[in-house]
Amino acid sequence: MPARLRFVAPSGYGRYDECVPTLQVELNRLTLANPILVASGTFGYAREMQAFVPFERLGGIIPKTVTPRDRRGNPPPRTVETASGLLNSIGLDNDGLDAFIEKHLSYLLGLGTKIIANIAGHDRDEFVQMAERLGKCQGLAGLELNISCPNVSGGVDFGTDPKKTSAVVSGVRAACELPILAKLTPNVTDISEIAQAAAEAGADAVSLVNTFSGMAVDWRRRRPILGNNVGGLSGPAIKPMVLKIVWHVARTVRVPIVAVGGISSIDDVMEFLVAGASAVQIGTANFYNPTLAGRLVEELEAALATAGYASVREIVGTLQANS
Amino acid sequence: MARDTYRLRIEAPELARQVLPGQFFMIRSPGVTNLLLGRPFALYDVWTDASGAPAGIDIAYLVVGKMTGLMATWVPGDRVEVWGPLGNGFPPADCERLLLVAGGIGNTPFPAVAREALGLARYGNRAPQAKLPREAVTFCYGVRSAEYLAGLEDFAALGIDVRLATDDGTRGHKGFVTELVANLLQGTDSRGYRIYCCGPEPMMHAVAKLTARHNIPCWLSLETPMACGFGACFSCVTKVKQPSGEWDYRRTCVEGPIFHAEQLAL
């Protein structure tokens, strides 16, 4: 068991243990020991983070997106820093599903935390076939469907169309028993429509959101900076937009929300919880503050205790609009 | 150290004890989001305390952008975030003659490389190596103009053969450092030679071509845009030849930054 912070009991608490808040959260069929996850594409296959993060403290790990076959990914430069943000177009560089299962899965499953595999296919059938195979892998906690990657052709098509979203999610739901997170794109007119479609098709939760489409320009050379010309924006720059999306979806769709977008401190975590997220993913911050995710769980206990809450569940969605 | 070129001394005994020549560190200004990511910097050299124990690391950098511009304003006592040592480093100089080739700020990994090769310092937990005599180590160093030559006194103090080139002819050979290398190799028996190279990409391409022609083993230190430095982001890729004969993108931060020239699909 990881060491836990202990807090001085507020008045009214008889037993010492009672004031350690309950961190467990339920996303329908998926139960997490705590709501701190790490986002796909920002944590490698966990091996890369071994020196920085005590994995067993996390609520779960979402490794880098895996596709049916290996992909070289996009030509460099693949990332560029913009104002308080990171623009990337990695292009789902990965070795394919076979290599993921052979090289990474058994390592991941031994880390003492929930592993949620993130998958992307070119069409519904590819998603379904990957789900069938991964559904047979003992020990996996769930699947996150990347129907929102802005950097590959076809990637974002599913997540911008409620019918296609529904087809992929229901296909995966029928193909395996694993809990499903649908990771949505913010690059749509009304994301709640997509979230609704995902929920009705059987998604246990929605991950809000993937990156915002963007670009960076070197005007002197009259060239886009990224090798792929355009990319997706993440980091602190997008946090206000993601907060608004999470709050909006929480008020309009009955589905647990996993928030992801610019979270880089415990205050950011608390903001997303009160706005309606049941769990959060740490993403870009893993690159520049690699020990953050491992520290947030203890900080969450402290923040809840200080605010007088006995569990994460109690604080989720408590934000009240100004009248 | 030279025009727009500074040395940053970081007190970090733990990092100093582990680092190998050619490895790098990510450095970040704490608590800011307008310079969000760390930036990679090669080890210049390890410095020691009065007892001779490794006490910290030196980084040499040229002011070229926002981060290096900020770094130039740092003063003694400031706290910075550093993670590393990262990457593979240069292999031990297992050769009879070592030729170090630097372009611009690409001189930074070479004080440590040279000191290790000469047996003047040990790095990390590497076993002691066969020492090269001073005359067996040559440092070819090219910059735009003499005012950018940085750390010459550090190289001079080692007693190795230093050859300089400047684009404008203000010091040494007028022209490219690659011409220095070509002249040096012209008509020599290159058996037992090894080349370590760091600098702008076109210059490293030229050196790699030269060494292939002379059949000299050559290692290059690459610099690619990087977000994390430890393999999580998959930004810093370069084309590396695969056993199949095809190439694949490989991460410079974990499989490099030092590559044998023959590994690269240039």
Side-chain angles (χ1 to χ4, degrees):
Chain A
M1 275 293 288
R4 305 189 86 190
L5 279 183
R6 295 282 164 177
F7 303 98
V8 177
S11 58
Y13 280 83
R15 270 189 33 234
Y16 195 57
D17 274 2
E18 281 175 352
C19 63
V20 176
T22 306
L23 301 187
Q24 183 174 304
V25 292
E26 280 93 32
L27 311 172
N28 285 313
R29 295 177 297 164
L30 177 63
T31 301
L32 302 173
N34 68 66
I36 309 293
L37 303 168
V38 287
S40 183
T42 67
F43 211 71
Y45 301 98
R47 274 194 188 88
E48 294 86 349
M49 306 301 292
Q50 206 170 354
F52 301 107
V53 180
F55 297 131
E56 71 285 352
R57 283 196 200 169
L58 299 174
I61 292 172
I62 310 178
K64 187 165 168 54
T65 296
V66 56
T67 56
R69 286 163 297 283
D70 65 316
R71 291 177 53 92
R72 276 177 175 165
N74 290 332
R78 288 176 168 187
T79 50
V80 59
E81 184 172 324
T82 58
S84 298
L86 173 66
L87 193 63
N88 89 79
S89 75
I90 308 297
L92 303 184
D93 177 342
N94 81 106
D95 293 338
L97 184 59
D98 288 343
F100 175 76
I101 292 172
E102 284 160 31
K103 277 165 54 186
H104 301 302
L105 198 54
S106 62
Y107 170 78
L108 286 162
L109 295 177
L111 297 180
T113 187
K114 299 244 159 139
I115 304 299
I116 300 162
N118 179 299
I119 61 172
H122 262 298
D123 51 39
R124 179 192 165 279
D125 289 350
E126 284 192 351
F127 273 101
V128 168
Q129 285 157 15
M130 293 179 83
E132 276 172 358
R133 276 198 67 194
L134 288 166
K136 291 178 192 135
C137 296
Q138 285 294 318
L140 207 54
L143 291 179
E144 183 175 65
L145 310 182
N146 182 356
I147 52 174
S148 47
C149 180
N151 295 325
V152 298
S153 69
V156 87
D157 299 359
F158 302 104
T160 54
D161 179 340
K163 288 197 187 75
K164 285 184 183 165
T165 297
S166 176
V168 169
V169 173
S170 59
V172 169
R173 178 91 200 219
C176 72
E177 298 289 317
L178 292 169
I180 299 166
L181 310 185
K183 188 168 182 179
L184 306 189
T185 174
N187 304 305
V188 292
T189 306
D190 181 9
I191 198 171
S192 58
E193 195 179 271
I194 314 285
Q196 181 71 43
E200 283 172 5
D204 292 273
V206 288
S207 300
L208 304 178
V209 287
N210 209 316
T211 54
F212 288 76
S213 285
M215 76 185 296
V217 167
D218 180 346
W219 74 267
R220 291 178 182 83
R221 291 175 55 238
R222 290 145 185 92
R223 290 263 190 175
I225 293 175
L226 293 176
N228 188 48
N229 299 320
V230 297
L233 184 65
S234 64
I238 70 168
K239 198 194 84 178
M241 297 187 280
V242 182
L243 268 172
K244 187 254 178 184
I245 287 170
V246 166
W247 189 54
H248 175 63
V249 172
R251 298 201 303 171
T252 52
V253 186
R254 284 180 64 88
V255 64
I257 295 168
V258 181
V260 49
I263 298 171
S264 49
S265 68
I266 187 58
D267 283 328
D268 292 344
V269 172
M270 302 310 286
E271 289 172 23
F272 277 105
L273 294 178
V274 301
S278 298
V280 298
Q281 297 177 10
I282 312 307
T284 303
N286 292 318
F287 296 151
Y288 64 86
N289 191 356
T291 59
L292 174 73
R295 287 183 276 120
L296 281 176
V297 178
E298 286 186 356
E299 292 183 17
L300 175 63
E301 278 184 350
L304 287 169
T306 306
Y309 286 89
S311 71
V312 172
R313 248 167 291 154
E314 284 173 24
I315 202 168
V316 169
T318 50
L319 187 69
Q320 294 186 13
N322 296 320
S323 50
Chain B
M1 297 177 77
R3 179 167 175 182
D4 300 335
T5 310
Y6 300 88
R7 184 196 308 244
L8 175 67
R9 174 156 288 190
I10 301 172
E11 188 182 343
E14 205 181 324
L15 303 185
R17 280 193 294 272
Q18 294 174 39
V19 66
L20 300 174
Q23 285 191 306
F24 67 97
F25 297 92
M26 295 294 282
I27 298 181
R28 182 171 182 269
S29 186
V32 300
T33 61
N34 59 344
L35 276 166
L36 193 64
L37 304 169
R39 301 288 194 274
F41 293 91
L43 173 75
Y44 186 74
D45 212 341
V46 165
W47 57 277
T48 52
D49 62 19
S51 73
I57 53 172
D58 279 356
I59 301 294
Y61 65 93
L62 176 70
V63 173
V64 290
K66 269 199 295 184
M67 178 67 175
T68 46
L70 175 72
M71 286 165 68
T73 70
W74 288 350
V75 295
D78 281 357
R79 296 183 72 84
V80 298
E81 290 176 358
V82 185
W83 56 96
L86 302 163
N88 54 356
F90 282 104
D94 181 17
C95 56
E96 288 156 35
R97 287 216 51 166
L98 181 62
L99 185 51
L100 309 173
V101 184
I105 194 65
N107 66 329
T108 55
F110 292 129
V113 169
R115 289 213 302 145
E116 185 182 50
L118 296 170
L120 300 174
R122 279 180 63 189
Y123 295 88
N125 53 7
R126 262 188 193 167
Q129 302 159 39
K131 292 178 194 175
L132 287 176
R134 284 172 177 165
E135 59 276 13
V137 180
T138 301
F139 177 51
C140 294
Y141 179 22
V143 293
R144 276 175 279 173
S145 184
E147 58 189 346
Y148 287 98
L149 289 164
L152 284 187
E153 62 290 349
D154 295 326
F155 292 100
L158 300 175
I160 59 174
D161 174 21
V162 177
R163 304 186 184 198
L164 305 175
T166 50
D167 295 355
D168 63 3
T170 45
R171 181 102 184 249
H173 169 74
K174 182 178 181 190
F176 291 143
V177 68
T178 46
E179 291 155 11
L180 281 182
V181 179
N183 292 343
L184 193 144
L185 295 177
Q186 188 75 41
T188 49
D189 178 1
S190 58
R191 273 178 300 182
Y193 268 71
R194 176 181 286 199
I195 293 187
Y196 290 166
C197 178
C198 182
E201 256 187 49
M203 168 257 187
M204 291 203 288
H205 279 230
V207 171
K209 263 191 197 165
L210 256 174
T211 55
R213 202 183 310 142
H214 288 269
N215 212 14
I216 301 173
C218 174
W219 279 261
L220 308 174
S221 176
L222 301 194
E223 185 183 30
T224 51
M226 220 170 253
C228 68
F230 44 80
C233 74
F234 286 71
S235 304
C236 61
V237 294
T238 193
K239 290 179 182 178
V240 175
K241 290 178 193 160
Q242 299 301 302
S244 63
E246 292 279 292
W247 61 264
D248 195 10
Y249 285 127
R250 294 288 151 175
R251 291 166 291 177
T252 301
C253 69
V254 287
E255 297 198 22
I258 317 297
F259 290 93
H260 194 291
E262 285 177 1
Q263 285 177 274
L264 298 174
L266 293 170

